[in-house]
Amino acid sequence: MKRVLLLAGVFAASGAAVAQVPPPIVSAPSASAPQQVLLAWMPGEVRCGNSVIAATPMRRPWTSLYWSAPSSDAPKPLAFTFRIDADGRALSIKRDGDAYAPFSDDIAPSLAASQFARGAERSGCRVIYTASRTPLAEAPIEDLISYSLNPMSGALPKAGWDRIRSPAATCIDEPRPRPLTQVYPDFLSFAGTPGVRDWSMVGYDQDARGKPTHVRIDYGTGNRALDTAAIKAVAASRYTGGARTGCRFPFWRAAEKLPAPPIPDDPVARPAGATCPEGRDWATRPVLRFPDAYRRRSIEGWAVVTYDVAPWGEIGNVKVVAAEPSDDFGKQAIQVLRSAKLADAPQGATGCVDRVRFVMGPVGGVLSNEEPPPPPF
């Protein structure tokens, strides 16, 4: 330390000019500059013919982070057509048009996870989804929490966490409480919701010994069994000491599997003059790749396709005859077949018919560490 002071004195005594470092230039963000917002595709009323049909409930697509300038136009509305079967399921879902729409891949799966009244079948149904852009400083806290637990388009920024955290909370003050015993619910002991990833945000205070008090559900998807189990889990947990307020801990549960509707016994007749053999001699077997948007909601599906085979085994002229619960499974089935190759056949083959089933393994009650945990509250 003395050496530093001496050198400083030498420079001052020599009369040399001391360079002044200018302060950093901080530019205020432009009012027209793009900013991160929550993008939510909101469903409108459902019409089947001339009748308005109420959903029980209508599932919302997951929200996404989206860069948007205040003066820019919102993404254009998207229309989907479908039918409702006797069990109240939305089937034969298809989007009108194929123009690019940002973060819209969960719209059809969310519609497939929705439920309508059981009874008479309905056809010619239609719903329009409108894009809503909300600044993080104004977004509903439930939407911010939901996104933080499923951040598909990037981590939630500080502006979002600032909304989630209560200004009066002391649980985030350093040093933050550390878990001594963190108890988790027995997720396999209760049912989830088909096609819906449930979550419960538990709020609590803690006493000087680190025992949770005033344990309650602050926000959640309304799964009562998960709420009850989450409250019991936090109440049984213990943390490092120090009285705190406004603590929160999230639990979430994988969506219950939503099986595909049955495939008709004979969805398509074998074309007249078809030369495709009944058995397939695969040189490269098809690789089943589940559509990600439906995998996240545990929704199964199927497609029936026809195709021809070239003499060298390449598959072509692939056509989707039927697909459920949406045409996305037909599109995926085409990709599955194009990844395969049949054994060489001198004359090739025509009129092949195959059923492609998208079936998931056992799903249910995955612990709340499916993905890396969110930052502590």
Side-chain angles (χ1 to χ4, degrees), residues 257 360-364:
K257 185 162 57 179
M360 303 193 71
V363 175

Side-chain angles (χ1 to χ4, degrees), residues 37-234:
V37 300
L38 274 190
L39 176 67
W41 288 97
M42 306 299 292
E45 66 179 15
V46 173
R47 286 187 170 272
C48 297
N50 295 324
S51 302
V52 176
I53 307 299
T56 56
M58 188 75 170
R59 304 296 182 186
R60 273 183 52 189
W62 281 320
T63 54
S64 303
L65 278 178
Y66 181 63
W67 283 97
S68 175
S71 59
S72 64
D73 294 333
K76 294 182 179 179
L78 300 177
F80 286 76
T81 58
F82 61 102
R83 64 183 176 88
I84 300 174
D85 70 1
D87 292 328
R89 289 190 61 178
L91 299 175
S92 305
I93 301 169
K94 184 176 182 180
R95 177 184 154 189
D96 286 354
D98 56 2
Y100 169 74
F103 302 112
S104 59
D105 61 340
D106 188 50
I107 296 181
S110 70
L111 180 54
S114 299
Q115 182 68 40
F116 298 86
R118 299 174 182 270
E121 297 183 4
R122 296 179 181 273
S123 59
C125 301
R126 180 181 173 89
V127 60
I128 296 177
Y129 288 79
T130 304
S132 170
R133 299 172 298 174
T134 308
L136 298 181
E138 302 172 9
I141 293 179
E142 292 93 333
D143 286 357
L144 293 169
I145 295 176
S146 178
Y147 179 81
S148 75
L149 298 176
N150 193 31
M152 295 188 298
S153 50
L156 184 67
K158 181 178 181 298
W161 288 113
D162 289 344
R163 290 291 317 286
I164 294 174
R165 295 169 178 141
S166 170
T170 62
C171 209
I172 61 174
D173 294 346
E174 297 292 349
R176 295 184 179 183
R178 292 178 293 103
L180 298 175
T181 302
Q182 184 65 63
V183 179
Y184 288 86
D186 179 4
F187 292 98
L188 293 176
S189 67
F190 55 87
T193 305
V196 176
R197 190 172 184 262
D198 284 312
W199 58 269
S200 299
M201 178 60 77
V202 182
Y204 63 98
D205 304 325
Q206 75 173 45
D207 64 18
R209 297 173 298 172
K211 178 181 178 180
T213 62
H214 308 111
V215 185
R216 72 272 177 189
I217 298 296
D218 282 349
Y219 302 95
T221 54
N223 184 319
R224 293 184 178 181
L226 176 59
D227 289 346
T228 300
I231 289 174
K232 290 181 179 179
V234 168

